[in-house]
Amino acid sequence: MKSLSIRGFAAVSLVATSMFFGCSDDSSPVVTDDETGALSSSDDSVVESSSSSKKVSSSSAEEKSSSSSKKTKKSSSSTVEDDETESSSSLEKSSSSELVIVVPDQSGFTITASELDSRVAGDEVRFKGKFMLNLLGDSTVVDSSLNIYFTSISYMVGVGTDINSMARANVNVNSNIVILPTQNTIDLNAMSSAHVSIDLLDPGFTECGMYSLIVTVTATNGKKDIMRTEIISFERDSSEYCSDGHSSSSVAQTTEIPMVSCQVELSTNVNPGVDLAYCVAVPVAGAATADIIFEKAGDVTNPELSAKSGSGLLFSPITNGDLPPYTDDYEVDIWPEDMNADRSPATAYVSDFKFKTIDAERLTNMIQNFNQIYVAKAPTYNADTGEGFYAFAITDATEGNRGDYTFMVKIYKVP
């Protein structure tokens, strides 16, 4: 493998290179700028409009001026004579009618990062993480009127997790093209943003073990650039990718049961039921015998959503994170069909929705657990064919009057 260097990473500047190899703690984010570190605009905090101001003089004014003392106010860039200082106003008038415009310091900003993580699904690594622009000393997101933007984002894969010693792996990083410059949050996981992933079967991998995705984002205020680098580790499992018997998941595809998905709009006060086999809404009049009946719960100040069955189905949340292989941790907007791009067909399978037991007659707190995927089993469930097995999740829930909800339900079923 090649040593990690700036020549192998064209999108990172010389400043980024010194940042990579000067880091003493590989768990801490690296933040720098193009010159001296923290951004400051103290020299720009006061702008004096002296060229357009006029001084008015008269004999009586001169006498008053000579007999009275003058107060002097100093700023970082000028000295202004006046009779009275009004600190609460951005416009200050002096005895000589000069106008001083005090401009609040809004140029200082920083890049923050959160929710950094990786997960393996199939033969692909998906990455989470959000980069945001914030004003220095303030948690408020940068206002759109300020000239502060993200200008670039770049990726590199390193071997190991110690940035001081890792070598570069010649591995492709798959991502969407983020439209730059932008003040919007850069989200590594969202399909509408960066949507970053790595194929574990990429020929650039020559061994197994721990690797790191190195993400560098740059932003500017028009005068100075700052840069933030984050390292997100992931594992290339030796039992999966470095054993003699390894092949892709195509072997298991012949025995797995594929599923199809559909979506239906429901509401607790108009169409609270759903027929899973036909993927249609059931109105209030016939909802008592529907496969799933959604009901409003909680109270007006804390509305909630619950579900039960009118046809004998039993329920359970999926528990993929607690069961082997511990990595297919699907949830709303991280659907199995999106993660199974290497499989044929690239769809969801019954085996994607893991659970310990399906024995609940009612589901509760479904708004609080808004990203949860659930499974349901009918009394006619056939383990060999998958008939009578369903998975579903609530999306786009909107609270209405008196605690009612309107929402979409995504349903998976065996065709």
Side-chain angles (χ1 to χ4, degrees):
M1 296 188 180
K2 296 184 290 183
S3 294
L4 187 63
S5 69
I6 187 61
R7 295 181 179 177
F9 188 20
V12 181
S13 67
L14 289 174
V15 176
T17 304
S18 64
M19 171 191 61
F20 285 152
F21 296 97
C23 177
S24 61
D25 183 357
D26 62 0
S27 64
S28 301
V30 180
V31 183
T32 186
D33 59 24
D34 65 340
E35 293 185 11
T36 60
L39 292 180
S40 173
S41 60
S42 61
D43 291 340
D44 300 324
S45 62
V46 178
V47 178
E48 185 173 348
S49 178
S50 59
S51 61
S52 60
S53 62
K54 298 180 179 180
K55 296 183 179 179
V56 180
S57 62
S58 65
S59 59
S60 59
E62 290 175 357
E63 292 174 358
K64 291 182 180 179
S65 176
S66 61
S67 62
S68 62
S69 61
K70 297 181 180 180
K71 296 182 181 180
T72 301
K73 184 184 70 173
K74 295 183 179 180
S75 71
S76 59
S77 59
S78 62
T79 300
V80 180
E81 295 182 353
D82 57 17
D83 294 325
E84 184 178 10
T85 301
E86 296 178 0
S87 60
S88 61
S89 174
S90 61
L91 298 179
E92 300 183 5
K93 295 183 178 180
S94 70
S95 61
S96 60
S97 299
E98 293 188 22
L99 184 65
V100 178
I101 303 174
V102 180
V103 181
D105 179 10
Q106 294 181 317
S107 62
F109 71 103
T110 186
I111 302 173
T112 60
S114 63
E115 303 177 27
L116 301 170
D117 198 7
S118 67
R119 54 190 289 277
V120 178
D123 293 317
E124 185 180 55
V125 188
R126 287 281 297 275
F127 296 91
K128 291 184 178 181
K130 294 181 179 180
F131 293 89
M132 300 179 65
L133 295 170
N134 288 66
L135 295 176
L136 274 178
D138 194 339
S139 61
T140 304
V141 176
V142 170
D143 188 89
S144 59
S145 64
L146 301 179
N147 191 31
I148 300 173
Y149 302 95
F150 284 113
T151 55
S152 69
I153 180 169
S154 55
Y155 315 98
M156 182 165 56
V157 179
V159 181
T161 59
D162 184 357
I163 197 169
N164 296 303
S165 60
M166 67 174 61
R168 180 177 180 178
N170 189 25
V171 174
N172 291 322
V173 178
N174 305 310
S175 69
N176 290 341
I177 298 175
V178 178
I179 299 176
L180 296 168
T182 181
Q183 289 183 316
N184 294 331
T185 297
I186 297 179
D187 190 333
L188 300 183
N189 184 57
M191 295 188 69
S192 59
S193 188
H195 196 57
V196 182
S197 65
I198 292 176
D199 185 357
L200 290 172
L201 296 176
D202 189 297
F205 285 113
T206 58
E207 58 187 87
C208 290
M210 296 302 298
Y211 288 82
S212 294
L213 174 68
I214 304 170
V215 186
T216 300
V217 294
T218 305
T220 185
N221 65 352
K223 297 179 179 179
K224 290 187 177 182
D225 295 340
I226 66 170
M227 184 180 295
R228 183 175 186 123
T229 293
E230 294 289 345
I231 301 174
I232 309 174
S233 62
F234 64 94
E235 183 178 10
R236 191 168 187 257
D237 192 346
S238 59
S239 64
E240 288 290 327
Y241 300 100
C242 294
S243 60
D244 294 338
H246 172 72
S247 62
S248 71
S249 55
S250 59
V251 174
Q253 293 173 18
T254 58
T255 59
E256 287 192 294
I257 303 170
M259 306 182 79
V260 295
S261 66
C262 61
Q263 294 195 68
V264 60
E265 184 177 39
L266 303 177
S267 59
T268 52
N269 58 339
V270 179
N271 298 304
V274 61
D275 184 311
L276 294 175
Y278 292 97
C279 197
V280 295
V282 180
V284 172
T289 58
D291 291 324
I292 306 178
I293 308 161
F294 293 93
E295 299 176 326
K296 65 179 181 180
D299 52 43
V300 175
T301 59
N302 186 27
E304 258 297 348
L305 192 63
S306 65
K308 64 181 182 180
S309 176
S311 61
L313 273 70
L314 296 175
F315 306 104
S316 174
I318 65 169
T319 55
N320 288 29
D322 297 332
L323 297 169
Y326 309 106
T327 53
D328 300 336
D329 194 11
Y330 302 120
E331 59 185 41
V332 170
D333 290 333
I334 305 180
W335 307 109
E337 62 268 27
D338 297 329
M339 306 301 293
N340 291 339
D342 61 314
R343 303 167 77 178
S344 181
T347 187
Y349 294 84
V350 169
S351 61
D352 287 325
F353 304 104
K354 297 176 175 61
F355 55 91
K356 294 179 179 179
T357 57
I358 301 182
D359 56 7
E361 296 182 352
R362 177 180 287 271
L363 297 171
T364 60
N365 298 325
M366 301 182 79
I367 296 299
Q368 178 181 335
N369 302 319
F370 66 92
N371 63 342
Q372 178 69 58
I373 298 176
Y374 303 91
V375 290
K377 184 173 66 175
T380 58
Y381 169 65
N382 186 318
D384 294 329
T385 64
E387 183 180 356
F389 179 81
Y390 304 94
F392 64 96
I394 293 173
T395 65
D396 302 323
T398 302
E399 183 184 344
N401 296 326
R402 298 180 297 277
D404 283 301
Y405 278 95
T406 299
F407 51 93
M408 299 294 294
V409 177
K410 184 170 183 178
I411 299 167
Y412 292 89
K413 60 180 181 176
V414 175

